[in-house]
Amino acid sequence: MNETSPSQRLFRRYLKDQGLPCTRQREQVAQVFFSSSGHLSVEDIQRRLRDGGHRIGKATLYRTLELLVRSRLVVEHDFGEGFKRYEHRLSREPVHEHLICLECGKVIEFESWEVQDVKAQITRKHGFQPTRHRLEIYGLCRECQEVGVELPNDGLTCPIERA
Amino acid sequence: MNETSPSQRLFRRYLKDQGLPCTRQREQVAQVFFSSSGHLSVEDIQRRLRDGGHRIGKATLYRTLELLVRSRLVVEHDFGEGFKRYEHRLSREPVHEHLICLECGKVIEFESWEVQDVKAQITRKHGFQPTRHRLEIYGLCRECQEVGVELPNDGLTCPIERA
DNA sequence: GTCCATGCAAACCTTTTGCACTATA
DNA sequence: TATAGTGCAAAAGGTTTGCATGGAC
């Protein structure tokens, strides 16, 4: 459980490059984070740190996550849940899109060259310099549908007239 | 400034359908909101209400926005700014994607049938029942680039190795 | 008259910040 | 030993909630 992952080594190098100290806390966050996978909330990470016997203040955790994001080893997501999630960027495709279940929160990832195409086309057309994008499709996953979950539909019931 | 928009009438109908009272505050929020356009924050809406001489508590505003979203006349967005934005859904294309400038916050909208295709394909493949999606491309708009703005790049400088 | 909405303030939640103290290099 | 990080607690910022009052139907 304590071996050093490639990502962790890259993070060390990043810190060194930036002239920042490589502290016990930063090591522990990196170690725990990079040995997990998925889209972790700050709470998730805190729990894993505690479970690993590490006691780290949340301010430090937030500050370390900021560094991880800046190093580009980690991506920050906001799925509109009221808090952020963090994802290890290595050991997976460099670009991917998300299917998100509104019932159970499961995230399915997929790649799409079509989206890359659209992005290239549309940014060229608008003289826009793109840095990143996200495509997120929300709905019900197969399992939640099978259990009989339905999404409430409370909206106006007739076709919407155009203003 | 006080004429009744089609959307406002639809909102009234929605309230009636749901057996909810059509109060002065709800009317005013709808009137102000539907006579604006763009992606409004709660602060934006509050300001417009104040400018129109309406004094409405923010709790009521939030509660009314919830109703507007439920009625499907309004869409809620989260562009990761730390707060939500609300958009009038009528008088525009029913589906659209966003280009968002990280410098000035400008939002350019576009449509893409390719994205619709991808969505249909991928959800079919995973047995997913889609309700909505978002495609957001972040970057620098033409104007901000022309003024010389650049995005910081602080990340690791060599190609990222795969774990 | 019965519900439900309103407004205020307090509570909530996540995230950020100030500051005295501690650790890294 | 100088410089930057840590931890705590408080603050911040957006959003939600409890509750007494007021308004819609």
Side-chain angles (χ1 to χ4, degrees), chain B residues 95-146:
Chain B
V95 176
H96 58 267
E97 326 302 345
H98 293 117
L99 271 169
I100 300 158
C101 180
L102 292 169
E103 179 65 21
C104 68
K106 178 167 48 204
V107 177
I108 301 170
E109 298 177 336
F110 65 98
E111 270 189 282
S112 164
W113 58 265
E114 291 96 331
V115 174
Q116 302 299 322
D117 271 12
V118 169
K119 178 175 170 180
Q121 264 176 45
I122 201 77
T123 53
R124 187 160 6 93
K125 176 171 162 193
H126 287 90
F128 204 89
Q129 177 195 335
T131 55
R132 62 177 205 272
H133 75 269
R134 59 177 173 189
L135 172 57
E136 290 162 7
I137 301 173
Y138 296 86
L140 280 187
C141 70
R142 199 194 318 260
E143 290 69 29
C144 287
Q145 288 173 64
E146 282 167 359

Side-chain angles (χ1 to χ4, degrees), chain B residues 21-22 42 58-59 62-63 82-84:
Chain B
C22 183
V42 168
K58 71 183 167 200
Y62 277 104
R63 288 186 277 230
F83 53 87
K84 304 243 171 72

Side-chain angles (χ1 to χ4, degrees), chain A residues 98-111:
Chain A
H98 293 118
L99 271 170
I100 301 158
C101 180
L102 293 169
E103 179 63 20
C104 66
K106 179 168 48 204
V107 177
I108 302 169
E109 298 178 336
F110 65 98
E111 270 189 282

